[in-house]
Amino acid sequence: MMRFVVLIAALVCGFNAVAKQYATTAYLGTSVQFTIESVSATEQDQAFELVKQALTRLDTILSRYNKSSYLSILNREKQLKNAPVELIDVLKLCQQWQVSTTNHFSCRLGSILPIWQQAEQTQTMPSRIEVRREARSLRDKTILINGSHITLDEELTLDVNGIAKGFIIDKVYDLLVARYSESRFKIDIGGDGRHYGAWPIAFTNPNVKNATQVMLTNLENHAYAASGLAFRHFQIKHNTFSHIFAPRDGWPITKPIGAAVIAKTTANADAIATALTTMNGVNAIDWLNKHDVAGVLFLPDGRVVYSKTWQQRDVSKHKAKLTFDYTLPEFDIADYRKPYVAIWLSDTKGNPIKQMAILGDSERWWQQSRRWWRKVGRKENSVFPHLAHATRKPGQHSISWFGEDDFGQVVTENELILHIEVSREHGDTSYQKLPFNLTKQATITKDGKGEIGQLSLTITP
């Protein structure tokens, strides 16, 4: 018999009813939390019954943990007649996201997990060559959908966990909206969720002890998902391996980044967050910006990196906004190489506060930016592959900052210094700094020198 727990929250709503937070661990191998407001106590209970019924039905279709689910039957028998439309829809979404993320998302790794489970049980490392061969062969295996009939390649086992929670949340959400459109509610399954009405959403940086939560507020009817934030892993002898596999080779990601995403649907957020954890930080943030998705990355050393859309939404704790326009001059020489650029903020003593930009991906040329390398780079060079973008052409470029340090904490100092250092192969190294006060509105300009052109810094308290 399923066991449900009801938690009473000290929030007073309409109809003189106390809002209840309902919780259970009965579905999808994880916890489910549900809260509804602005309805009577009886209607709250009825709403939760509706949620349970929908979860029960969808669990029997999509759960990997339920051996009698339609998904499990399909994986065992490799074909399924009269398949539920929800299973077909999920498989189509899997294919769409595999293409959209250029194979960083995959529902085809069901045969990889047992390899690692067996390796942990026997304490014997699997062959990397064999695992890679298996993963690569799965990419193009056939999933044939003909009406309601699904047929799998004999060697293919599906694992839809990277999108199933989000898809299920969306289905439950639609049922609730149809019946309780005048209320306000939220449903969360294992850290992924969707809200109807305005609710705050917060994620805690898992790599920083006692970290301030990364939060977005006053978002209406939003969906969210997080991936890579759990501490599940495989332990083989003295080695620890992430539970996140790279679809390209089936091997656990080394020090995966954590990702949290806000999207229109939870299925989309779920798939995107899953894919981001298999990328490095640069590719992940570039993907988010290219597709105008609000996301935040938690790098292995605790740094927090935001997409442009997230920064535009997250105005609740900004102390100030800084816009820095810089120019890379053009040189009329035959053997021109685009320069390496480092831009960072420090306090007045030179202590680094925020790495604003790194352009160029070679450690050899990072070291040519001698001030940056001495103050910042050599101490933390293991994380910079997550931050280093490609070099840029000559011309004017712009970058913004919203008052937080590398770890997502609001900067309390007022007197700061912006540093820029530019190095170019077959060229020179140039450095400029612009002191400023974060509490005073100003535009500071500086003439170019050497490898650095005209600079302009605008502070908006």
Side-chain angles (χ1 to χ4, degrees):
M1 179 179 294
M2 296 180 181
R3 182 181 178 186
F4 301 98
V5 180
V6 179
L7 304 176
I8 307 300
L11 298 173
V12 179
C13 306
F15 300 92
N16 296 317
V18 176
K20 299 177 183 178
Q21 182 180 359
Y22 299 86
T24 176
T25 57
Y27 303 104
L28 303 171
T30 188
S31 61
V32 179
Q33 296 183 333
F34 171 67
T35 302
I36 186 167
E37 298 181 352
S38 301
V39 295
S40 68
T42 299
E43 288 176 302
Q44 290 176 13
D45 292 338
Q46 290 172 346
F48 187 46
E49 286 300 320
L50 180 65
V51 170
K52 289 189 294 183
Q53 292 169 14
L55 289 175
T56 299
R57 187 179 69 84
L58 293 165
D59 186 85
T60 62
I61 296 172
L62 297 171
S63 176
R64 186 183 76 187
Y65 307 96
N66 184 343
K67 300 304 180 184
S68 61
S69 71
Y70 284 91
L71 175 65
S72 297
I73 294 171
L74 175 61
N75 278 332
R76 285 196 303 269
E77 300 184 3
K78 306 305 178 186
Q79 62 176 338
L80 188 62
K81 296 180 179 180
N82 299 318
V85 65
E86 291 87 352
L87 179 55
I88 293 172
D89 289 344
V90 165
L91 296 186
K92 289 180 178 179
L93 284 173
C94 285
Q95 182 60 28
Q96 291 172 16
W97 282 110
Q98 182 176 341
V99 172
S100 179
T101 62
T102 57
N103 294 309
H104 282 281
F105 177 86
S106 177
C107 295
R108 297 166 176 262
L109 300 180
S111 61
I112 299 296
L113 178 61
I115 294 175
W116 285 95
Q117 291 173 331
Q118 178 69 14
E120 185 174 48
Q121 183 177 350
T122 62
Q123 289 296 290
T124 303
M125 282 292 295
S127 165
R128 187 152 194 166
I129 294 175
E130 293 179 3
V131 173
R132 183 188 300 117
R133 185 183 298 119
E134 171 77 7
R136 290 180 176 178
S137 71
L138 298 174
R139 184 178 300 172
D140 299 317
K141 295 298 181 183
T142 303
I143 303 175
L144 180 61
I145 301 175
N146 186 6
S148 62
H149 187 186
I150 306 173
T151 304
L152 298 185
D153 187 287
E154 285 296 323
E155 298 180 13
L156 191 58
T157 300
L158 300 175
D159 181 355
V160 300
N161 273 17
I163 200 169
K165 281 192 301 181
F167 180 87
I168 289 171
I169 290 168
D170 290 334
K171 290 298 179 183
V172 175
Y173 175 91
D174 290 341
L175 287 173
L176 291 167
V177 170
R179 187 170 299 187
Y180 299 99
S181 61
E182 300 301 318
S183 67
R184 190 172 78 113
F185 62 80
K186 58 181 179 178
I187 180 168
D188 183 290
I189 302 180
D192 301 345
R194 194 163 177 183
H195 295 170
Y196 185 68
W199 298 79
I201 172 95
F203 302 95
T204 300
N205 189 336
N207 300 318
V208 175
K209 190 174 182 180
N210 301 321
T212 302
Q213 288 182 320
V214 174
M215 178 178 288
L216 289 180
T217 58
N218 300 321
L219 291 183
E220 293 276 352
N221 308 342
H222 60 276
Y224 61 89
S227 185
L229 306 186
F231 295 94
R232 291 178 290 161
H233 59 266
F234 301 100
Q235 190 71 39
I236 303 175
K237 295 183 179 179
H238 300 296
N239 299 313
T240 299
F241 296 91
S242 167
H243 70 286
I244 301 170
F245 304 130
R248 66 181 180 276
D249 62 6
W251 207 256
I253 301 295
T254 302
K255 295 184 178 180
I257 62 176
V261 173
I262 307 294
K264 292 181 179 180
T265 69
T266 325
N268 288 353
D270 202 0
I272 294 169
T274 300
L276 294 177
T277 59
T278 71
M279 305 179 189
N280 68 24
V282 172
N283 293 338
I285 209 70
D286 284 349
W287 193 97
L288 289 168
N289 289 336
K290 178 181 178 181
H291 294 85
D292 195 27
V293 175
V296 56
L297 308 180
F298 301 99
L299 302 188
D301 74 333
R303 292 172 191 264
V304 179
V305 183
Y306 304 95
S307 73
K308 292 179 181 178
T309 303
W310 187 292
Q311 288 179 317
Q312 291 163 0
R313 288 182 173 182
D314 185 13
V315 298
S316 59
K317 59 180 180 179
H318 292 162
K319 182 176 180 180
K321 179 180 178 181
L322 179 153
T323 301
F324 179 51
D325 297 309
Y326 63 98
T327 303
L328 300 178
E330 186 170 3
F331 295 91
D332 186 15
I333 56 177
D335 197 14
Y336 178 79
R337 297 287 188 275
K338 288 183 287 187
Y340 273 51
V341 180
I343 303 171
W344 73 102
L345 294 176
S346 76
D347 61 19
T348 55
K349 296 180 180 180
N351 299 310
I353 288 177
K354 176 68 177 180
Q355 184 65 53
M356 293 182 64
I358 305 174
L359 305 180
D361 57 6
S362 166
E363 183 174 320
R364 173 193 172 191
W365 285 99
W366 289 345
Q367 294 182 40
Q368 298 304 307
S369 298
R370 291 181 289 275
R371 289 177 179 81
W372 174 82
W373 182 255
R374 186 175 66 253
K375 290 287 187 179
V376 184
R378 67 179 179 179
K379 302 174 184 177
E380 302 163 340
N381 62 316
S382 63
V383 77
F384 289 119
H386 284 292
L387 300 173
H389 291 260
T391 54
R392 294 181 180 175
K393 296 178 180 180
Q396 184 171 316
H397 305 277
S398 184
I399 190 169
S400 297
W401 178 66
F402 294 91
E404 295 182 350
D405 66 14
D406 279 322
F407 303 94
Q409 311 300 307
V410 176
V411 173
T412 57
E413 294 92 337
N414 293 327
E415 298 292 338
L416 301 174
I417 301 173
L418 185 144
H419 307 258
I420 177 170
E421 191 165 14
V422 179
S423 303
R424 183 172 56 84
E425 187 178 359
H426 307 305
D428 202 354
T429 297
S430 298
Y431 167 77
Q432 295 268 36
K433 65 179 182 179
L434 290 80
F436 64 96
N437 187 303
L438 200 55
T439 65
K440 297 179 180 179
Q441 184 162 338
T443 296
I444 303 169
T445 61
K446 201 163 191 177
D447 292 334
K449 181 178 69 173
E451 301 290 337
I452 301 175
Q454 182 76 20
L455 302 178
S456 176
L457 177 64
T458 301
I459 303 98
T460 306

